[in-house]
Amino acid sequence: MNVFNLPIWSRTVIGAVKRTCTAQPDSEAAVDDPRWPRIQAALLELQSGGRHAVRIVDADCGAGTLLLHAMGHARQLGFTAVEGHGIDRSSLLIGRARLAARHAADPALGVDFEAADMITALRDEQDLPADIVICHDLSRYRPPEAARAVRNAGRVVIADDAACNVQGIAA
């Protein structure tokens, strides 16, 4: 049973942007991230469609700033259940993300940060695709399976410039 009662959407990649975020936990850099307006728009679209729960995956999440900010914003919009999954290769950054997540005292927020190979972790997401997948700097992943893993991991993919250069993701 699908706990989010998700409609079947076409998988969409939302356009490219020029900058990337190098935010540290608890910084204001999340709102300065050029993907932020697209994240807000995707959350508002879900809300206007009557959704009460949302699932967000942040591939290459770093210290988790953007994912945690997106989850908090979803909660402020009235989503009653917000689930997030952050993936990064750096166990140090994942440790920072987990520490930052502990400060989120809202029981409606469920977040997991995983130190893993992004392609492998995104393939695991394909069974129950997220509502939103945030991509950050996929340029180092050249194989076509990277683009396929990203596309199949979520219904809406919000990518930066580098992610859109991966084969199969349109700008």
Side-chain angles (χ1 to χ4, degrees), residues 100-143:
R102 286 187 197 127
H103 296 292
D106 190 336
L109 300 178
V111 64
D112 175 45
F113 288 100
E114 173 184 18
D117 173 71
M118 187 178 54
I119 295 172
T120 303
L122 288 173
R123 284 183 183 146
D124 292 342
E125 293 289 334
Q126 294 177 27
D127 292 336
L128 179 61
D131 297 300
I132 300 169
V133 174
I134 304 167
C135 295
H136 183 71
D137 194 15
L138 289 176
S139 61
R140 65 183 152 212
Y141 298 102
R142 296 284 180 201

